Amino acid sequence: MAVALAPVRIGFVLQEDVVFPHLTVKETLTYAALLRLPQTLTKQQKEERAMNVISELGLERCQDTVIGGEYVRGVSGGERKRVCIGNEILLNPSLLFLDEPTSGLDSTTALRIVQMLRDIAYAGRTVVTTIHQPSSRLFDRFDKLILLGRGNCLYFGKASEAMLYFSSIGYSPLIAMNPAEFLIDLATGNGNDKSRPSALADKASSFESNSSQGPSPMDIHRVRKIERRLQAFYLVKACETKVVRLEKRKQLEPVKIDDRWKTHGVANSREWGASWWQQYRILFWRGLKERRHDHLSCIRVTQVMATAIIIGLLWWHSESSSPKKLEDQAGLLFFISVFWGFFPVFTAIFTFPQEREMLAKERSVGMYRLSAYFVARNTSDLSLDLALPILFVVIVYFMVGLRQDFAVFLRSMLTVFLSITASQGLGLAIGAALMDVKKATTLASLVVMTFMLAGGFFVQLCSRLMQKVPSFISWIRYLSFNYHTYRLLLKIQYSCGASAAAGGDSALHAPCKSAFIRGLRLGDGGTEVAAMVAMIVVYRLLAYLSLRRMKLRSAT
């Protein structure tokens, strides 16, 4: 493979570990490599790069363990942090930023992380990290140190020379103290247990002596506030005169670019790491692996099966031979339309709000197009969401004793699929528009309740009852997927074809003579199918446009 100069790339590791909890370490880094590394590399070369990073970070032992999260047991906190670092060093960046990489870790794990970062730096990368209150062992690993106080530079230079520098300007600890704690106290204005320059000490004494009747609590507070300001001013001026000028002079010296800035196979290009179709396939399979645990969990399977069995027992071998029995069975069909309209909405609402941080992180580094992510997310979710409805319909259909015809059964299943796809689109649109689970759930509850009431069972919006419904609200039924699903299920189960008109089997076509069915004027069902297809497209388009409003970096 040809050797080329590495592009000027910057990697950034967030303080929070934003990773998918159900993916393994190997899967996480492999998917990142497939999406981020340039298209000039083959799939095998990208996978090899991911394995090299796993080896470099010492993650071989846990490479087949899931990352885990708040409710999922997985790797340790240090290993999770190393995975996040691995996501960034896949591209071999010349500059790596880390925001508090030791936050939330014990001292031993934090030391291992810092030692690993030091090894990365010695391998030819520049590593810049912010760390609050490091231990003395961590502080000893630092090469250079920038100490900031109230937005000003108080020290910039070798970490090993920091204590000598502050001692030279009059600040030194009076007791044994961790160098990091000493420096942080200086940056925050805490002067306890530290010597001070004589000039500042004399000024503080003069302020205290100005009070003739002894210092009051107000005077003490005012004096300390002045002391902190004087100390900050003194430290900034000393840094500007003794440190910054020297470092600036060093930075102006020409630096020879040597082999440590070279890498293998990474081209200087801002193009996508994969084509749209490749991005879609990678994100689709990643979505299946990540969310199969939630969509096909024991709780959800039990919930759907228990509901189906209860419905089957309540409507056990129901009939439609009489008007009363027909209305009872119609109630079952309405419940099916409501259940598979309600259930997917509140599942889809969580999709984008829960993945907002991950989406922002991955899109900010140009990992994939938003359109590829959106299509992959929809298709992978649909693949998982359609498994349980099949189980539900099979149980209910034969326990209840609905019309025993394979074509009728198949059309009923497809109607339920249409309802799920439309209601899922509504949930995605609401979640993407609000990006807040509580607000989205509240709005979805109101919308779903309205759709259910306008669904045609509680209030039959047929022509003979239209006068009872105000005209300004009667149109809502056309927006309700419950309404269209219910009418389609009634049409499929109680269709009145030519054989009924010719006086065929009276038992089979008894519903055709029902005033309830005739009053609904079901038609051929084409209008309902067209309306639900329109909902599927429009709701998802609204969800996509809402995601575009997030103004994430990189073009779609």
Side-chain angles (χ1 to χ4, degrees):
M1 187 179 297
V3 177
L5 285 176
V8 180
R9 293 184 182 272
I10 298 177
F12 185 78
V13 180
L14 302 172
Q15 179 180 355
E16 299 294 332
D17 299 330
V18 183
V19 286
F20 287 112
H22 293 291
L23 295 181
T24 65
V25 171
K26 183 179 179 180
E27 289 171 343
T28 299
L29 294 176
T30 300
Y31 284 129
L34 293 175
L35 290 168
R36 299 190 67 180
L37 293 178
Q39 296 188 53
T40 53
L41 300 180
T42 64
K43 180 181 179 182
Q44 182 180 358
Q45 289 172 329
K46 293 181 179 183
E47 291 175 347
E48 288 177 357
R49 175 59 183 160
M51 295 306 299
N52 291 337
V53 169
I54 290 175
S55 177
E56 182 179 353
L57 300 181
L59 295 170
E60 299 97 328
R61 184 180 61 86
C62 62
Q63 63 178 323
D64 295 320
T65 305
V66 296
I67 301 293
E70 186 176 358
Y71 304 107
V72 182
R73 185 176 180 180
V75 299
S76 66
E79 291 168 336
R80 187 181 300 113
K81 179 62 68 177
R82 278 184 274 169
V83 172
C84 296
I85 296 173
N87 270 325
E88 297 303 318
I89 67 174
L90 278 168
L91 277 75
N92 195 20
S94 56
L95 179 59
L96 181 63
F97 282 102
L98 300 101
D99 183 14
E100 297 191 43
T102 60
S103 178
L105 303 178
D106 60 84
S107 59
T108 302
T109 305
L111 180 62
R112 290 176 181 171
I113 293 293
V114 172
Q115 183 60 53
M116 182 198 65
L117 294 175
R118 192 180 189 186
D119 295 339
I120 291 175
Y122 287 175
R125 303 181 182 95
T126 300
V127 179
V128 180
T129 177
T130 59
I131 295 183
H132 293 167
Q133 293 186 332
S135 65
S136 57
R137 293 189 298 172
L138 262 65
F139 185 82
D140 186 58
R141 300 303 196 277
F142 298 157
D143 295 316
K144 284 196 173 184
L145 172 70
I146 300 177
L147 180 65
L148 300 177
R150 298 183 179 182
N152 297 304
C153 180
L154 306 183
Y155 177 77
F156 176 42
K158 293 182 179 180
S160 58
E161 298 176 358
M163 297 298 289
L164 293 176
Y165 163 74
F166 285 106
S167 177
S168 69
I169 63 174
Y171 286 99
S172 58
L174 299 178
I175 61 174
M177 186 178 296
N178 178 0
E181 293 180 357
F182 170 75
L183 297 176
I184 290 173
D185 284 347
L186 286 181
T188 57
N190 183 6
N192 296 331
D193 302 322
K194 302 169 189 66
S195 64
R196 291 182 293 177
S198 57
L200 292 182
D202 293 342
K203 288 184 179 180
S205 300
S206 65
F207 284 126
E208 293 176 359
S209 61
N210 288 336
S211 179
S212 58
Q213 298 180 353
S216 65
M218 185 67 69
D219 293 332
I220 294 174
H221 176 73
R222 182 175 59 85
V223 168
R224 289 179 178 175
K225 186 175 181 180
I226 294 174
E227 288 178 356
R228 286 194 295 269
R229 288 181 178 177
L230 289 173
Q231 176 176 300
F233 180 79
Y234 180 85
L235 291 172
V236 171
K237 286 299 180 182
C239 181
E240 290 177 351
T241 56
K242 294 188 177 183
V243 178
V244 174
R245 291 180 184 176
L246 179 61
E247 290 297 327
K248 284 182 178 179
R249 193 178 303 117
K250 292 180 181 179
Q251 297 300 324
L252 292 176
E253 296 177 359
V255 179
K256 182 181 179 181
I257 299 177
D258 53 29
D259 290 340
R260 69 175 185 164
W261 301 107
K262 296 181 180 181
T263 188
H264 295 277
V266 181
N268 188 6
S269 174
R270 297 291 297 176
E271 296 180 355
W272 299 103
S275 64
W276 191 95
W277 177 247
Q278 290 172 334
Q279 291 176 8
Y280 166 77
R281 287 192 296 109
I282 294 168
L283 293 170
F284 176 81
W285 289 110
R286 188 182 75 170
L288 285 181
K289 288 186 177 181
E290 166 60 23
R291 289 181 288 276
R292 63 186 176 186
H293 304 276
D294 293 330
H295 287 258
L296 301 178
S297 63
C298 293
I299 295 177
R300 293 192 65 175
V301 173
T302 303
Q303 178 186 13
V304 172
M305 286 190 64
T307 304
I309 292 172
I310 291 172
I311 291 173
L313 293 175
L314 291 176
W315 274 274
W316 178 260
H317 288 180
S318 62
E319 298 179 0
S320 58
S321 56
S322 66
K324 180 62 178 176
K325 293 179 179 179
L326 175 63
E327 291 184 10
D328 288 342
Q329 200 173 81
L332 164 65
L333 298 179
F334 182 74
F335 177 83
I336 293 175
S337 69
V338 169
F339 182 76
W340 289 112
F342 176 91
F343 197 65
V345 167
F346 289 92
T347 301
I349 275 177
F350 295 89
T351 299
F352 297 124
Q354 286 184 340
E355 288 194 6
R356 181 176 186 172
E357 291 185 359
M358 178 63 72
L359 179 60
K361 171 193 169 185
E362 294 181 337
R363 289 272 299 140
S364 66
V365 296
M367 187 176 286
Y368 46 72
R369 296 174 175 85
L370 181 60
S371 55
Y373 164 81
F374 185 79
V375 176
R377 190 68 167 88
N378 276 269
T379 51
S380 62
D381 281 359
L382 274 177
S383 303
L384 295 170
D385 284 340
L386 296 182
L388 292 180
I390 294 174
L391 179 64
F392 177 91
V393 173
V394 168
I395 293 175
V396 169
Y397 201 92
F398 296 103
M399 287 185 68
V400 171
L402 294 175
R403 190 170 168 184
Q404 302 299 302
D405 184 285
F406 180 74
V408 173
F409 169 77
L410 186 60
R411 288 199 296 269
S412 300
M413 184 76 73
L414 292 175
T415 301
V416 172
F417 286 173
L418 276 176
S419 176
I420 293 170
T421 311
S423 58
Q424 187 190 66
L426 176 63
L428 293 174
I430 294 175
L434 300 179
M435 280 297 179
D436 183 282
V437 173
K438 291 184 179 180
K439 293 180 181 178
T441 303
T442 302
L443 177 60
S445 300
L446 178 62
V447 173
V448 170
M449 184 182 301
T450 304
F451 283 0
M452 179 182 67
L453 293 176
F457 183 78
F458 296 113
V459 178
Q460 297 179 18
L461 300 175
C462 54
S463 57
R464 65 186 179 86
L465 295 178
M466 186 62 69
Q467 296 179 353
K468 296 184 179 181
V469 180
S471 58
F472 67 88
I473 201 174
S474 61
W475 55 269
I476 291 181
R477 70 188 189 276
Y478 298 116
L479 302 180
S480 170
F481 39 77
N482 300 135
Y483 172 77
H484 299 295
T485 304
Y486 179 50
R487 288 176 63 86
L488 279 174
L489 290 175
L490 290 173
K491 168 67 180 176
I492 293 168
Q493 290 296 321
Y494 312 125
S495 59
C496 302
S499 59
D505 189 345
S506 58
L508 180 62
H509 299 286
C512 299
K513 303 175 182 178
S514 168
F516 172 73
I517 297 298
R518 290 200 306 270
L520 291 176
R521 298 182 179 179
L522 297 176
D524 61 358
T527 303
E528 287 77 12
V529 172
M532 295 184 72
V533 170
M535 291 179 192
I536 292 171
V537 174
V538 171
Y539 286 148
R540 280 168 171 76
L541 180 61
L542 292 175
Y544 178 74
L545 294 177
S546 298
L547 291 180
R548 286 287 298 268
R549 285 195 303 109
M550 292 175 63
K551 295 182 181 179
L552 298 174
R553 207 185 79 183
S554 298
T556 55

